Amino acid sequence: MADFVEERDWDQFHTPRNLLLALVGEVGELSEIFQWKGEVPRGLPDWEEKEKQHLGEELSDVLLYLVRLSDICGIDLGKAALRKLELNAIKYPASLCKAQCVANQSAGEWVDLVRYCAL
Ligand SMILES: Nc1ccn([C@H]2C[C@H](O)[C@@H](COP(=O)(O)OP(=O)(O)OP(=O)(O)O)O2)c(=O)n1
């Protein structure tokens, strides 16, 4: 990415704010692909190959601007992401989260039962 930018003399435009706006713009383009489709199943089984290719391009644009923004801000994104994963694991312990899922499921079943009885 750094070589691509330097070869075009675009370094002057790659300021933190410009890159952030470019990133947000690409997230908008990514959102457009899903807009009005409703929920779609994982793996996008009904999508045409052309649509999936377009999705890959927009995801890549987001990734490239994110990596470039991190780089220009002096952030080691790989290191930061690994640290964040560790923080997430502390904040959301697996055992507690699983127990919460079961509790939510039971609550959901209870609501279904009450609805059924009310019919
Ligand atoms: N000043 C720029 C302009 C572009 N790019 C790179 C990063 C992105 O990966 C891609 C973005 O290019 P476009 O702005 O042309 O966006 P799209 O490829 O999404 O085209 P379009 O908006 O026409 O769909 O090019 C860059 O690094 N710096």
Side-chain angles (χ1 to χ4, degrees):
M1 186 72 171
D3 290 346
F4 170 87
V5 172
E6 206 173 315
E7 282 161 12
R8 285 156 185 79
D9 205 14
W10 282 355
D11 202 53
Q12 55 187 312
F13 306 116
H14 278 207
T15 58
R17 184 177 168 277
N18 281 351
L19 286 166
L20 174 61
L21 291 176
L23 170 63
V24 172
E26 295 299 340
V27 170
E29 289 185 32
L30 179 59
S31 307
E32 266 182 349
I33 298 177
F34 289 89
Q35 201 173 9
W36 312 127
K37 276 190 161 58
E39 193 50 277
V40 291
R42 287 177 183 210
L44 316 177
D46 305 327
W47 288 33
E48 287 175 17
E49 210 41 53
K50 208 174 145 201
E51 254 181 321
K52 281 192 172 185
Q53 194 176 11
H54 183 207
L55 176 60
E57 287 168 8
E58 297 306 343
L59 284 166
S60 301
D61 284 336
V62 171
L63 176 70
L64 291 170
Y65 277 132
L66 182 69
V67 167
R68 181 71 176 153
L69 176 61
S70 308
D71 191 28
I72 224 77
C73 291
I75 301 292
D76 181 336
L77 192 56
K79 209 170 145 186
L82 286 176
R83 181 172 172 270
K84 192 61 174 72
L85 272 176
E86 284 171 11
L87 292 173
N88 291 349
I90 294 166
K91 186 175 176 187
Y92 302 107
S95 53
L96 279 183
C97 291
K98 270 190 191 165
Q100 191 61 51
C101 282
V102 172
N104 287 346
Q105 211 173 358
S106 304
E109 281 164 12
W110 178 244
V111 169
D112 286 346
L113 182 67
V114 170
R115 277 206 195 113
Y116 176 76
C117 291
L119 286 175

